[in-house]
Amino acid sequence: MTHHPSPTTRLTTSRPRRLVVKLGTGVLTSGIGELNTARIAAVCAGIAALRARGTEVIVVSSGAVGLGMGRLRLEKKPKEIAKKQACAAIGQSLLMQTWQAGFAPHGLTVAQVLLTHDDLRLRSRYLGVQETLRQLISYGTIPVINENDTVSAAEIKFGDNDMLSAMVASLTGAEHLIILSTAPGLIDLKGTKEIVPVVERITPEIEAMAGGTTSETATGGMVSKIAAAKLATKSGCGVFIASGAEPEILAKLLCGRGPGTFFVPSGLPLVARKRWLAYFQRPAGTISLNDRAVPVLREQGRSLLAVGVTGSRGEFAAGDIVNLAGPDGIVFARGRTAFGSDEIPALAGQQGPAVAALYPARKRLEVIHRNDLVLL
Ligand code: GLU
């Protein structure tokens, strides 16, 4: 029998230039709000070893709400938003103390970065965050990022830190995102009952393997990890999902010795601006297209013209990000519209000269210019 190297060795690099490590509440704590100091120390040692070999590491850490709950001796996660936000405020400082203490023996300094969804959704703030992270890394510190839960109301939330970590990986151009949780990887419950070592493409079957979280303090679960992996792999970043309890897990993953699941990055990463357009936005509505327009956008990479539009849903203004759907209702692209939803009825199905007659002063008449359009 010929010897095959582990399937991940050919896909990963044991010395990535930059990686994002995301830790779930369940990895950092044992029981509600009790820190698992030994595990945190082990993770810090693993990260310090990577740093010593020249890899830049950014940490995305959950645990603020959980640690706050522990400090207040709450057994159950409160339902009220204000209570959760208060827990996060209490727990966040404990969380940073923990990271600081964990990295101190390695001579490493941590930097707290708290983000809301708006910080990445607005282009100017996105660029600002990118610049600050770059600076923190060049100062030799380890950024420790969490969502700014205390001020994130429902509509500006990332949802969970899995998605936040994928956005951070995309934003910083990290080679790998390593999501450490209590799960050992993606398990094929229907088939082999074992960890799936490599996922080449996230298909509906892969998505169906994921089930929701059950723990009191955690938020994500496998569903959100797969969603995060989808975003990150499309940005050209390889994603690992593995157990944070496994000794020396970071080193093992990077040299292809698992155990865990590796999601192969897509071969064609989007250019950074399109990435931001595609994944960092909350579309304000949907523009529907006729069946002639769909392949023109999909296969020829052209702009969307009024003639291909059949209608729209939702309220949006010129400059907003919208989804694009074909006649089957399936969303296949996203872009920045040059017209608001109130203008769409008059434009839909019109040929160029008719649109020009409606908007005599405008130079550009595309509904969405191809540079502002990205296929999903
Ligand atoms: N930001 C939350 C916290 O630190 C966690 C969200 C998550 O686990 O996804 O408690």
Side-chain angles (χ1 to χ4, degrees):
M1 199 174 111
T2 49
H3 173 74
H4 290 290
S6 147
T8 54
T9 38
R10 72 190 158 87
L11 302 166
T12 65
T13 140
S14 63
R15 275 190 203 202
R17 194 175 53 83
R18 182 172 299 155
L19 57 88
V20 174
V21 181
K22 186 260 169 183
L23 297 104
T25 305
V27 177
L28 302 173
T29 56
S30 38
I32 291 178
E34 262 173 67
L35 282 169
N36 188 333
T37 343
R39 189 171 298 155
I40 295 167
V43 170
C44 290
I47 292 175
L50 289 170
R51 277 290 311 260
R53 293 165 58 203
T55 296
E56 298 167 351
V57 183
I58 295 165
V59 172
V60 174
S61 175
S62 301
V65 175
L67 291 185
M69 283 166 59
R71 183 51 69 97
L72 295 175
R73 302 195 189 289
L74 304 179
E75 304 262 304
K76 281 211 166 338
K77 195 178 203 166
K79 297 249 176 319
E80 297 88 330
I81 303 218
K83 286 188 180 164
K84 271 191 263 192
Q85 291 183 310
C87 283
I90 294 159
Q92 181 62 31
S93 63
L94 298 172
L95 190 60
M96 286 314 293
Q97 279 172 27
T98 306
W99 283 112
Q100 217 146 22
F103 281 117
H106 306 282
L108 290 168
T109 299
V110 290
Q112 169 179 272
V113 180
L114 297 177
L115 300 175
T116 64
H117 194 266
D118 271 355
D119 296 325
L120 301 187
R121 200 174 58 79
L122 305 174
R123 182 81 180 153
S124 58
R125 273 154 81 174
Y126 168 97
L127 293 172
V129 170
Q130 198 173 40
E131 204 42 53
T132 307
L133 287 174
R134 197 170 292 149
Q135 192 57 58
L136 286 170
I137 290 169
S138 77
Y139 278 145
T141 64
I142 302 214
V144 178
I145 303 179
N146 195 0
E147 173 153 15
N148 194 351
D149 295 306
T150 305
V151 301
S152 298
E155 65 273 17
I156 56 166
K157 276 193 89 57
F158 291 101
D160 56 68
N161 274 6
D162 295 320
M163 204 38 104
L164 171 61
S165 68
M167 288 186 181
V168 168
S170 169
L171 158 95
T172 55
E175 269 106 321
H176 299 315
L177 163 64
I178 302 184
I179 299 181
L180 296 181
S181 77
T182 46
L186 177 67
I187 309 223
D188 181 3
L189 284 174
K190 288 224 182 83
T192 62
K193 312 255 185 303
E194 284 178 10
I195 301 174
V196 181
V198 181
V199 173
E200 300 269 358
R201 223 164 54 80
I202 301 175
T203 58
E205 292 74 52
I206 293 290
E207 284 174 317
M209 285 180 194
T213 179
T214 48
S215 127
E216 261 308 316
T217 47
T219 10
M222 200 48 78
V223 173
S224 76
K225 289 180 180 48
I226 303 286
K230 218 170 175 177
L231 190 163
T233 50
K234 284 203 182 178
S235 301
C237 170
V239 178
F240 293 96
I241 296 177
S243 165
E246 180 76 26
E248 313 217 354
I249 186 66
L250 297 175
K252 283 184 190 161
L253 290 174
L254 292 176
C255 63
R257 283 190 288 122
T261 302
F262 181 67
F263 297 79
V264 179
S266 118
L268 291 172
L270 297 167
V271 296
R273 187 175 174 284
K274 289 214 168 184
R275 216 189 267 172
W276 170 79
L277 231 141
Y279 304 121
F280 288 80
Q281 302 301 317
R282 287 222 169 106
T286 303
I287 296 182
S288 316
L289 275 54
N290 61 31
D291 54 6
R292 287 182 308 281
V294 177
V296 172
L297 266 54
R298 271 208 116 112
E299 282 131 43
Q300 300 169 29
R302 306 251 291 273
S303 300
L304 173 64
L305 304 179
V307 68
V309 172
T310 55
S312 72
R313 268 185 294 118
E315 261 180 51
F316 48 86
D320 280 352
I321 305 297
V322 294
N323 280 330
L324 299 182
D328 52 7
I330 296 175
V331 172
F332 70 97
R334 195 168 275 180
R336 181 194 293 283
T337 172
F339 294 92
S341 48
D342 52 345
E343 298 170 293
I344 298 290
L347 288 173
Q350 300 292 342
Q351 300 285 346
V355 181
L358 279 171
Y359 294 94
R362 282 174 82 133
K363 281 206 197 78
R364 280 176 46 182
L365 296 170
E366 301 94 353
V367 177
I368 300 181
H369 189 270
R370 63 187 151 84
N371 291 344
D372 288 335
L373 198 147
V374 58
L375 298 172
L376 298 176

